Amino acid sequence: MEKGLEQVGALPGVGGSFLCDNKGEVIVSSDPAVLATVTMSTIGREVGRVFVALETAKQPADRIDFVYNSWRLLAQDMRTAVFFVVCQPEVDMAIVRMTVEVVIAGWRKDANAQKRLHRHQAERAALVSRAVLDQGSWSSWTVLTSGGQPSLG
Amino acid sequence: MAEGLTGSLAQLPLVDLLKMLAAGGQTGRLELTSGLDQGAVYLAHGELVHAESDMITGEAAFVRLAGWPSGQFRFDPQVQAPRRSIEKPMDRLLADSARAASEREALRRVVPNMDVVPRLAKKAPGPTITIDGADWELLASVDGESTAAQMASARGIEDIDMAKTLYRLKLAGLVEMAMVQAAAPQQRALAGPGFFQALTSAIAEAMGPLAEIIIDDAVEDLGFNRATFPRDAVAALAERISGEIREPEKRVRFQQTMLQLLRAGQQAA
């Protein structure tokens, strides 16, 4: 898996990459790590929730491109994990996206990579529960699951 | 002793590494990676017998690998070469590689990139000038506005051939190179016919005989035609077309081919 991260990291405008499981835990990250582990985990968890929310809202996505003033973050859903690439704003994202697809296809054929992913297997839905969300997020979530109608109760 | 030998080419250059393995009479496969690029060199009893890099094999592949300034290596002893593609002794090959590197550097000093704008020299280099037909035709097409990439595209030749010709003309004192920023900051380097040829082959392999139509549709969707298609949009074009390939394996293979092509383009630029 590290080799795949190296391939992505070698692209112009890419600062690093990491892979988070469905609990937000970091499975593997580029070396040196592009962000602190706790930050990568937070991103992994929150973006995992976004993918669940989009699916629940019947707007499923398998890729999200977060564009900020000084950096860009590509999140590619693998279902069992989310692959993140941290880039500079002017990066050629088409090259990054194609490389990510090639790398993920390689992991799907790699028994060791599959073993590592299997060890981290978790239901993404567990990211969204009353126990782990704050009150505001939980209210938003219930609106989403009720088909967009806020409950009056 | 060479089992599990791995390391960085920046710390142990390929030339030194090969000399070391040759001196030890080693047999095996030396795997090399540099970013997305991969290659391998095979030794048999200390002799270089085969090299491969992307689609190239033999001496050309070796010369290419020897030009990598950095990367990683791993030596797997006892792995036999799939075939023999190199007959030259290692010393001569290393000398050839050094010469190729020196030529590339000389070329780069005169034609630093394909965005330079060739202009006719104001003063003749001498009272008599001898020039061959092909160079004269190119010289006649120098308009002082077109970039080297645009000239190559218009003449349907590869960038590297254009760069070599411009190098000759510059050394002969017939042209000067101006930076494109000063001449035409709005102009973008073009993808050129070579790119579209390679793209057609890759699409034909993945999607069959409709390659030309698929390309034209995608190019048009991006707001260009083949003659005006800029080099900095080729990745977007490749991605758009890859989205049309339904079979995942074929799509990934197409993407790999395109990424190789894009890398080659970046290196040439």
Coordinates of all heavy atoms in Angstrom, one line a residue, chain B residues 170-209:
Chain B
K170 N 20.6 26.9 -33.7 CA 21.1 27.9 -32.7 C 22.6 27.9 -32.7 O 23.3 28.9 -32.7 CB 20.5 27.6 -31.3 CG 21.1 28.4 -30.2 CD 20.5 29.8 -30.1 CE 20.9 30.5 -28.8 NZ 22.2 31.0 -28.7
L171 N 23.2 26.6 -32.7 CA 24.6 26.5 -32.7 C 25.3 27.1 -34.0 O 26.4 27.6 -34.0 CB 25.1 25.1 -32.5 CG 24.8 24.5 -31.1 CD1 25.6 23.2 -30.9 CD2 25.1 25.4 -30.0
A172 N 24.5 27.0 -35.0 CA 25.0 27.5 -36.3 C 24.8 29.1 -36.4 O 25.2 29.7 -37.3 CB 24.2 26.9 -37.5
G173 N 24.2 29.6 -35.3 CA 24.1 31.1 -35.2 C 22.9 31.6 -36.1 O 22.9 32.8 -36.4
L174 N 22.0 30.7 -36.5 CA 20.9 31.2 -37.4 C 19.6 31.6 -36.7 O 18.8 32.3 -37.2 CB 20.6 30.0 -38.4 CG 21.7 29.7 -39.3 CD1 21.4 28.4 -40.1 CD2 22.0 30.8 -40.3
V175 N 19.4 31.1 -35.4 CA 18.2 31.5 -34.7 C 18.6 31.9 -33.3 O 19.7 31.5 -32.8 CB 17.2 30.4 -34.6 CG1 16.6 30.1 -35.9 CG2 17.7 29.1 -34.0
E176 N 17.8 32.7 -32.6 CA 17.9 33.0 -31.2 C 16.6 32.5 -30.5 O 15.6 32.3 -31.2 CB 17.9 34.5 -31.0 CG 19.1 35.2 -31.7 CD 20.4 34.8 -31.1 OE1 20.4 34.4 -29.9 OE2 21.4 35.0 -31.7
M177 N 16.7 32.2 -29.3 CA 15.5 31.7 -28.5 C 15.0 32.8 -27.6 O 15.8 33.4 -26.8 CB 15.8 30.5 -27.7 CG 16.4 29.3 -28.4 SD 15.2 28.7 -29.6 CE 16.4 27.7 -30.6
A178 N 13.7 33.1 -27.7 CA 13.1 34.1 -26.8 C 12.1 33.3 -25.9 O 11.5 32.3 -26.3 CB 12.4 35.2 -27.6
M179 N 12.0 33.8 -24.7 CA 11.0 33.2 -23.7 C 9.6 33.6 -24.1 O 9.4 34.7 -24.5 CB 11.3 33.6 -22.3 CG 12.6 33.0 -21.8 SD 12.6 31.2 -21.8 CE 14.2 30.9 -22.5
V180 N 8.7 32.6 -24.0 CA 7.3 32.9 -24.5 C 6.7 34.0 -23.6 O 5.8 34.7 -24.1 CB 6.5 31.6 -24.5 CG1 6.2 31.1 -23.0 CG2 5.2 31.8 -25.2
Q181 N 7.0 34.1 -22.3 CA 6.4 35.1 -21.5 C 6.5 36.5 -22.0 O 5.6 37.3 -22.0 CB 7.0 35.0 -20.1 CG 6.6 33.8 -19.3 CD 7.5 32.7 -19.5 OE1 8.3 32.7 -20.5 NE2 7.5 31.6 -18.7
A182 N 7.7 36.7 -22.6 CA 7.9 38.1 -23.1 C 7.2 38.3 -24.5 O 6.8 39.3 -24.8 CB 9.4 38.3 -23.3
A183 N 7.1 37.2 -25.2 CA 6.5 37.3 -26.5 C 5.0 37.2 -26.6 O 4.3 38.0 -27.2 CB 7.1 36.2 -27.5
A184 N 4.4 36.2 -25.9 CA 3.0 36.0 -26.0 C 2.5 35.3 -24.8 O 2.3 34.1 -24.8 CB 2.7 35.2 -27.3
P185 N 2.3 36.1 -23.7 CA 2.0 35.4 -22.4 C 0.6 34.7 -22.5 O 0.4 33.8 -21.6 CB 1.9 36.6 -21.5 CG 1.8 37.8 -22.3 CD 2.4 37.5 -23.6
Q186 N -0.2 35.0 -23.4 CA -1.5 34.3 -23.4 C -1.5 33.0 -24.1 O -2.4 32.2 -24.0 CB -2.5 35.2 -24.1 CG -2.6 36.6 -23.6 CD -3.9 36.9 -22.9 OE1 -4.9 36.5 -23.3 NE2 -3.8 37.6 -21.7
Q187 N -0.5 32.7 -24.9 CA -0.5 31.5 -25.7 C -0.2 30.3 -24.8 O 0.7 30.3 -23.9 CB 0.6 31.6 -26.8 CG 0.1 32.5 -27.9 CD 1.2 32.6 -29.0 OE1 2.3 32.3 -28.8 NE2 0.7 33.0 -30.2
R188 N -0.9 29.2 -25.1 CA -0.7 28.0 -24.4 C 0.0 26.9 -25.3 O -0.4 26.9 -26.5 CB -2.0 27.4 -23.9 CG -2.6 28.3 -22.8 CD -4.1 28.1 -22.7 NE -4.4 27.0 -21.8 CZ -5.7 26.6 -21.6 NH1 -6.7 27.2 -22.2 NH2 -5.9 25.5 -20.8
A189 N 0.9 26.1 -24.7 CA 1.5 25.1 -25.5 C 0.4 24.1 -26.0 O -0.5 23.9 -25.2 CB 2.6 24.4 -24.7
L190 N 0.6 23.6 -27.2 CA -0.5 22.7 -27.8 C -0.2 21.2 -27.5 O 1.0 20.9 -27.4 CB -0.6 23.0 -29.3 CG -1.1 24.4 -29.6 CD1 -1.1 24.6 -31.1 CD2 -2.4 24.7 -29.1
A191 N -1.2 20.4 -27.5 CA -1.0 19.0 -27.2 C -0.3 18.4 -28.4 O 0.6 17.6 -28.3 CB -2.3 18.3 -27.0
G192 N -0.7 18.8 -29.6 CA 0.0 18.3 -30.8 C -0.4 17.0 -31.4 O -1.1 16.2 -30.7
P193 N -0.1 16.7 -32.6 CA -0.6 15.5 -33.3 C 0.0 14.2 -32.7 O -0.7 13.2 -32.7 CB -0.1 15.6 -34.7 CG 1.0 16.6 -34.7 CD 0.7 17.5 -33.5
G194 N 1.2 14.3 -32.1 CA 1.8 13.1 -31.5 C 0.9 12.6 -30.4 O 0.7 11.4 -30.2
F195 N 0.4 13.5 -29.6 CA -0.4 13.1 -28.4 C -1.7 12.5 -28.9 O -2.2 11.5 -28.4 CB -0.8 14.4 -27.6 CG -1.9 14.2 -26.6 CD1 -1.7 13.4 -25.5 CD2 -3.2 14.6 -26.9 CE1 -2.8 13.2 -24.6 CE2 -4.2 14.4 -26.0 CZ -4.0 13.7 -24.9
F196 N -2.3 13.1 -29.9 CA -3.6 12.5 -30.4 C -3.4 11.2 -31.0 O -4.3 10.3 -30.9 CB -4.3 13.5 -31.4 CG -5.0 14.6 -30.7 CD1 -4.4 15.9 -30.7 CD2 -6.1 14.4 -29.9 CE1 -5.0 17.0 -30.0 CE2 -6.7 15.5 -29.2 CZ -6.1 16.7 -29.3
Q197 N -2.3 10.9 -31.7 CA -2.0 9.6 -32.2 C -2.0 8.6 -31.1 O -2.6 7.5 -31.2 CB -0.7 9.6 -32.9 CG -0.8 9.8 -34.4 CD 0.6 10.0 -35.1 OE1 1.6 9.6 -34.5 NE2 0.6 10.5 -36.2
A198 N -1.2 8.9 -30.0 CA -1.1 8.0 -28.9 C -2.4 7.8 -28.2 O -2.8 6.6 -27.8 CB -0.1 8.5 -27.9
L199 N -3.2 8.8 -28.1 CA -4.5 8.8 -27.5 C -5.4 7.9 -28.3 O -6.2 7.0 -27.7 CB -5.1 10.2 -27.4 CG -6.5 10.3 -26.7 CD1 -6.4 9.9 -25.2 CD2 -7.0 11.7 -26.8
T200 N -5.4 8.0 -29.6 CA -6.2 7.2 -30.5 C -5.9 5.7 -30.3 O -6.8 4.9 -30.1 CB -6.0 7.6 -32.0 OG1 -6.2 8.9 -32.1 CG2 -6.9 6.8 -32.9
S201 N -4.6 5.4 -30.2 CA -4.2 3.9 -30.0 C -4.8 3.4 -28.7 O -5.3 2.3 -28.6 CB -2.7 3.8 -30.0 OG -2.2 4.4 -31.2
A202 N -4.6 4.2 -27.7 CA -5.0 3.8 -26.3 C -6.5 3.6 -26.3 O -7.0 2.6 -25.7 CB -4.6 4.8 -25.3
I203 N -7.3 4.5 -26.9 CA -8.8 4.4 -26.9 C -9.2 3.2 -27.7 O -10.1 2.4 -27.3 CB -9.4 5.7 -27.4 CG1 -9.1 6.8 -26.5 CG2 -10.9 5.5 -27.4 CD1 -9.5 8.2 -27.0
A204 N -8.5 3.0 -28.9 CA -8.9 1.9 -29.7 C -8.7 0.6 -29.0 O -9.6 -0.3 -29.1 CB -8.0 1.9 -31.0
E205 N -7.7 0.5 -28.2 CA -7.5 -0.7 -27.4 C -8.6 -1.0 -26.4 O -9.0 -2.1 -26.1 CB -6.1 -0.6 -26.7 CG -5.6 -2.0 -26.2 CD -4.2 -1.9 -25.6 OE1 -3.3 -1.3 -26.3 OE2 -4.1 -2.3 -24.5
A206 N -9.0 0.1 -25.8 CA -10.0 0.0 -24.7 C -11.4 0.0 -25.2 O -12.3 -0.7 -24.6 CB -9.9 1.2 -23.7
M207 N -11.7 0.7 -26.3 CA -13.1 0.9 -26.7 C -13.4 0.5 -28.2 O -14.6 0.7 -28.6 CB -13.5 2.3 -26.5 CG -13.4 2.8 -25.0 SD -13.7 4.5 -24.8 CE -15.4 4.6 -24.8
G208 N -12.4 0.1 -28.9 CA -12.7 -0.3 -30.3 C -12.5 0.8 -31.3 O -11.9 1.8 -31.1
P209 N -13.2 0.6 -32.5 CA -12.9 1.5 -33.6 C -13.5 2.9 -33.6 O -13.2 3.6 -34.5 CB -13.5 0.7 -34.8 CG -14.5 -0.1 -34.2 CD -14.1 -0.4 -32.8

